[in-house]
Structures are given as structure tokens and as C-alpha cells.
Amino acid sequence: MSTETINKDILRGGQFLVKETKCEDIFTLEDLNEEQKMMRDSTKEFVDRELWANWERFEKKDYAFTKECMQKAGELGFLSISVPTEYGGMGMGFVSTMLVCDYISGATGSFSTAFGAHTGIGTLPITLYGTEAQKKKYVPKLATGEWFGAYCLTEPGAGSDANSGKTKAVLSKDGKHYNITGQKMWISNAGFCSLFIVFARIENDKNITGFIVENDPKNGISMGEEEKKLGIHSSSTRQVFFNETKVPVENMLSERGNGFKIAMNALNVGRIKLASACLEAQRRVLNEAVNYANERIQFKTAIINFGAIKSKIAQMATNAYAGESACYRAAMNIEERIAIREAEGNSHQDAELKGVEEYAIECSILKVAVSEDIQSTSDEGIQILGGMGFSADTPMEKAWRDARIARIYEGTNEINRMLAVGMLVKKAMKGHVDLLGPATAVGEELMGIPSFDTPDFSELFAEEKDLIARLKKVFLMIAGSAVQKFGPDLEAHQQILLAAADILIEIYMAESTLLRTEKNAKRSGKESQAIQIAMTQLYLYDAVDIVIRKGKEAIVSFAEGDEQRMMLMGLKRFTKYTNQPNVVALRNQIADKVAADNAYTFDS
């Protein structure tokens, strides 16, 4: 990382809401260096050869084939991208790890789940929290695929409330090991893993503790049958039972009672990686849909020529483009924050932990937005293919089924929505993000007389930037009033939080999309970005509609009388276009380009 990058003022997590971001300061897929492009291309080659060509095998619950593909991925180095070089890995930056996770995950959710569970929550807790001895003993084996990892957190009575687990860890009389007893469920990779990251409670501790547990059936470890699931058919998912399983005291992960913190930080990484894992899936679903629409003849014309199909294709492409824009923006923010902390003398271990934790708000935003986009994309993919889409003879219906789990993984989307707003409010209270000042300014603006001057929107995105700035005022108006009204009880008003979260999500996604397009227009010319400009405008148009709907929902639910009327007036003022875009023309422009290319081509 260059000195210039380290020294520049990088926005802290959540500050996108109250500080301006220049397009030159964000990272986009168009900024990939040659090494990263080669890595992307080799990943796609592996996926096409080993995974996409064999998608039907994954649908037949061929767990052995998933393991075989994971071993091949290990041989090619794909499991070691983020592992430090001293433990047998490639030691690549956060953007590169996102890139591989993105392009390796689009062919099948079965492999994607196995890959994510192993490289993320199965390995990261050791690289980030393990002792030197633990890392030297276990990480090299995990990096090569000699061993596979699994993560045992969820229990029958502890899902979203992860810290309520009942699994017990009892210290032996000689003090040399812990006996772990309990039941874990929904454990990905359980059927072929070599070690578990297990969370258990010691005595009556407030918080759970993490342990590294080798998978030895002779040591009180047994498993249930493979779960019957809607999708991800060849992802091994089993219950795991521990009965007086002996774990050496030196296999405690981090400190006693630190398990909940480990779990939450592992999930932060998992959330942004899950978002990236949904990107290539969107591209491939779109490619299948447009290929079919170009070839399917009805009423003597290819169905791609019908406006109803163009609308779907345009929306699918726009959502993929927006997801890419936001994911890689956040990924580089994290990478730069890690570099800053390392330059300040932090170990890579601590720097990565704090770097990801800094952008926990963005991680939750991305997890929600992109997981819901792949669901809608795969749903529209089925619709475009019609009966063929519903048939198991094509990969479209399995894409829909595989996509469904993404809204549950790594904390449900409902939990993540509330976390995003809750973490932002907590950051404000700690002084890390100044929400009070801007929120007060918005309140004063509402009391003042609005300007009736005609703004100059002649420059590219001038109106769109102004509109996004006003959408931020909507959030500040609603969140500021809600915090003032409910105070510390805000967390109890979940439906208000969910509405505020949707506004926050749309702001981040729309702004990220605009900044990417603006950056590329400045360096490559406005003409080269005509379709990207159309996608940016279309995304923002839809985002404004969501903000209006969710803003109104929140305002009429907690404000009354004059306050309600004032806020509704503000909502109308802050979401007003001066020049409404021609939405149908934008969709046709986007769809025609995708149809001509017979593929999504905006990621290269």
C-alpha cells in the first residue's frame, strides 16, 4: 500500500452518510491490476471446467464430489488467498480475497457454501485469534485443503441469539483439557471436515468461549444424517453432537469468554464475503436468461425484443452493477484501513480484525442488498425461461433454490438491517460518526423557507449527486427524530429500524454506483460509460421510490400532528426530482446492450 494511500483521509465506517466521498477515492472493478485480472481469469476457468460443467452432479447430493472440487481448489491455491504467507498462504489483500470469493461462487451454491465456510468461518477464527502455535499447527493444512474446517455456533435454541448457546465446556480435574458436551446444528462441511471451531460456555460465564476441536469420532463426536434442504444440495450440512469431547486447554481460541466477540467479527467478514459470493451468481443467471431470450422465438420474434423482457433484463443488469460497485468500494476501504493500522505498528492479525470491524455497518448493508438481489434475479430468470426455468433440466431453478439461503446465512437480513442502524447510532454516541450535527442542521432546514432557485445541473450527475445528498437528509431526519423520541428504547421499535435500514441501504448502494460510473467517465470519457450512466440513473430512480415508501412508513408510525406534517413535507422536498428520467428509455438502452453482447459485460 502506497504512502499516499496510507496518508489520505479515508472515511470511517458509516461516515459515508455525513461526509462527501470523491469518486477518485473509491476502488472499482475497473481498477484491478494485472495480477488480480489473472487471478480472476484463472478462477473463472476453474469454475467453468470443474463446477459449471458439472452443475447437475451438485443437484444429486454428491457430497464426495463437493469435497473433490474443494481439494482441487486447494491444489490451485484458491483456499489460501487470504492466509498469511508464513502459514502457507498467498497473503493477498482484502480486495483479492473478495475477487476470488466473487468469481468462484457463481456456478453452484453447494460449492460456494463449502468454500465460504472453509476459507471464512472455518479458517479465519484461527488466523485472526489463534496463538502462534495454533496457527502453525492448523492453518497450513487448511490453506492447502489437506484439512477442511467447519464452524459450530448455532444450536437448536440459539440461532440469531448466538450467545445463548447451552453447549458446556468443563475443565478436567488435572486442568489439562476441557470436556465439551452439547449439540450444534446446520453445520456446513460437517460431513468431511477435519476440525471444528466450537463455541461453548464455561461454568456460568456471561459469554461463550471458542475452541479448536479436531474431528475424531473416537473422542465423543457423532453426527446426524445429512439435512434435507431446499437448495445447496451437495453442501454437507449435519448436526454435530459432542459428548465429553476432550479438548486440550491449549486449544482454547483467544481468551475465556471471548467467543461471542470472535463469532461476531467472523460474521462481519462473512457478511461482505457473502455479498461478493452473490455477484457472479447474478451474472451467470443473467447470462442464461439473455441467451434464452435471444434464442426463444414467439410471435415470430425473439422474446428479447419485448418490452416486458427488456425491463427484467435491465433490472437484473443494474442490480449486478450496483452490487459490484458497493462491494468493491467497501473491500478497498477495509484493505486501506488494514494498511493504516499495520503502518501504525499493529500486527496483521489485529489490523485485519479492526479493519473489518470498522466497516461492520457496510458489511451488513451489503449482505442484505446483494443477497436480496440474487434472489430477485434468479426469480426473474425463471420467469424469462418460463416452463424451462421451472424445469430441473435447466440450472435456473436450482439457482433460485440456492439463492434462498443467502438471506439467512451470516445473520438473517432482518438482524442485519437492525444491526446496520443500531451500529450507526452507537458509533454516533461514541463520537466516531457525527450524526447529531447534520441531523440538527436538517431539522433547522425544515423550519426554514426552501430555495426556489433553479439549480445548474448541466454537469454529469449534478442532479443525481444533489438527490443522493437529500436522501441522506431523509435518513438523518427520521433517525434523528426516532432517537430523540425513543432514546435507548429505539432497539425495541424494530419496524421503525427496518424502514430506516432500507433507506440507509439504498443510499449506500446508489452512491457507490454513481461514484463508480463517475470515476470511469472521468478517465475513459462520458461516451464510453453510456450504459453505465443509464444503470446509475435507473438504480437511483428505484432507490428514491423505496426511500419515499419507507420514509412515509416510518414517519406516520412514530410522529404525530405538526411534527408528522413537517416531516412528510420534508420527505417530499428531499426526494423531488427536477428532471425526471425516462425510465423506459433507460431500461431499453441497458437491455439492448446486454442483448447485443449476449452477456453481462460490465465487470471487465
Side-chain angles (χ1 to χ4, degrees), residues 117-338:
H118 171 75
T119 60
I121 51 181
T123 302
L124 273 177
I126 305 177
T127 61
L128 296 180
Y129 286 96
T131 63
E132 191 63 23
Q134 288 170 347
K135 287 186 282 191
K136 285 182 176 178
K137 181 176 181 180
Y138 295 114
V139 176
K141 293 179 179 179
L142 294 168
T144 60
E146 178 185 347
W147 279 25
F148 294 113
Y151 184 81
C152 295
L153 178 63
T154 303
E155 300 182 13
S160 296
D161 184 10
N163 202 38
S164 64
K166 305 298 183 187
T167 298
K168 289 287 185 182
V170 179
L171 187 64
S172 62
K173 290 182 180 179
D174 60 11
K176 293 183 178 180
H177 63 265
Y178 284 92
N179 290 315
I180 293 182
T181 301
Q183 176 184 359
K184 299 292 183 176
M185 66 188 303
W186 310 125
I187 308 306
S188 297
N189 294 353
F192 59 82
C193 74
S194 308
L195 66 78
F196 302 100
I197 305 296
V198 180
F199 295 90
R201 194 176 310 278
I202 300 173
E203 297 176 345
N204 294 315
D205 287 359
K206 178 182 177 181
N207 293 320
I208 51 181
T209 297
F211 296 89
I212 303 169
V213 181
E214 296 183 23
N215 184 7
D216 180 1
K218 298 176 182 178
N219 188 21
I221 299 175
S222 59
M223 297 187 193
E225 295 296 316
E226 290 286 355
E227 297 287 351
K228 298 177 176 65
K229 309 184 295 292
L230 172 69
I232 56 172
H233 280 172
S234 287
S235 164
S236 176
T237 312
R238 295 185 175 190
Q239 291 192 60
V240 181
F241 302 91
F242 300 95
N243 183 18
E244 297 288 312
T245 300
K246 292 183 179 182
V247 182
V249 292
E250 57 267 26
N251 274 30
M252 178 186 288
L253 197 54
S254 185
E255 303 168 1
R256 175 173 173 172
N258 215 26
F260 185 65
K261 186 176 181 181
I262 295 171
M264 292 304 100
N265 281 328
L267 288 175
N268 284 335
V269 180
R271 283 163 185 155
I272 190 170
K273 294 287 183 67
L274 177 61
S276 70
C278 293
L279 293 175
E280 177 69 356
Q282 287 183 74
R283 299 184 197 107
R284 286 182 181 262
V285 166
L286 175 54
N287 289 349
E288 289 293 302
V290 75
N291 292 169
Y292 183 86
N294 270 329
E295 294 174 1
R296 175 67 167 168
I297 304 297
Q298 291 290 279
F299 308 104
K300 298 181 180 180
T301 185
I303 65 171
I304 191 67
N305 294 318
F306 295 123
I309 301 298
K310 287 186 178 184
S311 175
K312 296 179 187 301
I313 295 293
Q315 203 66 56
M316 294 158 79
T318 297
N319 287 344
Y321 182 75
E324 290 171 352
S325 305
C327 281
Y328 285 96
R329 173 190 184 182
M332 182 53 84
N333 283 156
I334 291 171
E335 183 167 315
E336 289 177 336
R337 183 62 62 181
I338 292 170

Side-chain angles (χ1 to χ4, degrees), residues 380-552:
E380 292 288 36
I382 289 177
Q383 196 71 11
I384 291 170
L385 267 66
M388 289 303 296
F390 199 72
S391 169
D393 290 334
T394 69
M396 197 62 79
E397 65 90 32
K398 71 91 182 170
W400 184 87
R401 289 185 290 98
D402 283 356
R404 186 59 186 87
I405 189 62
R407 289 156 57 195
I408 299 171
Y409 274 160
E410 313 294 357
T412 67
N413 283 10
E414 291 73 23
I415 289 287
N416 274 285
R417 278 181 162 91
M418 290 184 286
L419 275 175
V421 178
M423 288 186 291
L424 184 60
V425 171
K426 286 178 182 176
K427 276 202 164 196
M429 290 178 175
K430 291 179 180 179
H432 294 168
V433 179
D434 178 18
L435 289 186
L436 181 60
T440 302
V442 171
E444 293 171 352
E445 183 178 345
L446 285 175
M447 299 298 292
I449 300 172
S451 171
F452 295 101
D453 295 339
T454 303
D456 178 11
F457 289 146
S458 56
E459 287 190 11
L460 176 64
F461 290 146
E463 179 165 6
E464 288 80 4
K465 286 182 179 180
D466 179 68
L467 189 47
I468 289 174
R470 286 186 279 120
L471 296 185
K472 293 178 181 182
K473 291 179 181 180
V474 173
F475 180 87
L476 291 167
M477 174 182 71
I478 292 171
S481 296
V483 169
Q484 191 174 28
K485 187 177 185 69
F486 300 120
D489 295 329
L490 179 61
E491 289 184 0
H493 298 270
Q494 291 190 351
Q495 294 185 57
I496 304 297
L497 285 173
L498 291 174
D502 281 339
I503 296 170
L504 187 67
I505 289 166
E506 293 307 320
I507 290 168
Y508 187 73
M509 300 300 290
E511 182 180 65
S512 300
T513 307
L514 184 149
L515 291 170
R516 175 188 184 182
T517 307
E518 182 187 21
K519 182 176 186 179
N520 289 323
K522 282 186 175 182
R523 65 181 164 191
S524 303
K526 182 178 174 180
E527 297 74 17
S528 72
Q529 300 296 303
I531 308 302
Q532 290 88 334
I533 290 169
M535 289 192 288
T536 301
Q537 292 172 334
L538 179 61
Y539 191 93
L540 180 58
Y541 177 85
D542 291 333
V544 170
D545 266 2
I546 293 170
V547 171
I548 291 171
R549 181 163 51 87
K550 293 296 180 177
K552 182 179 178 181

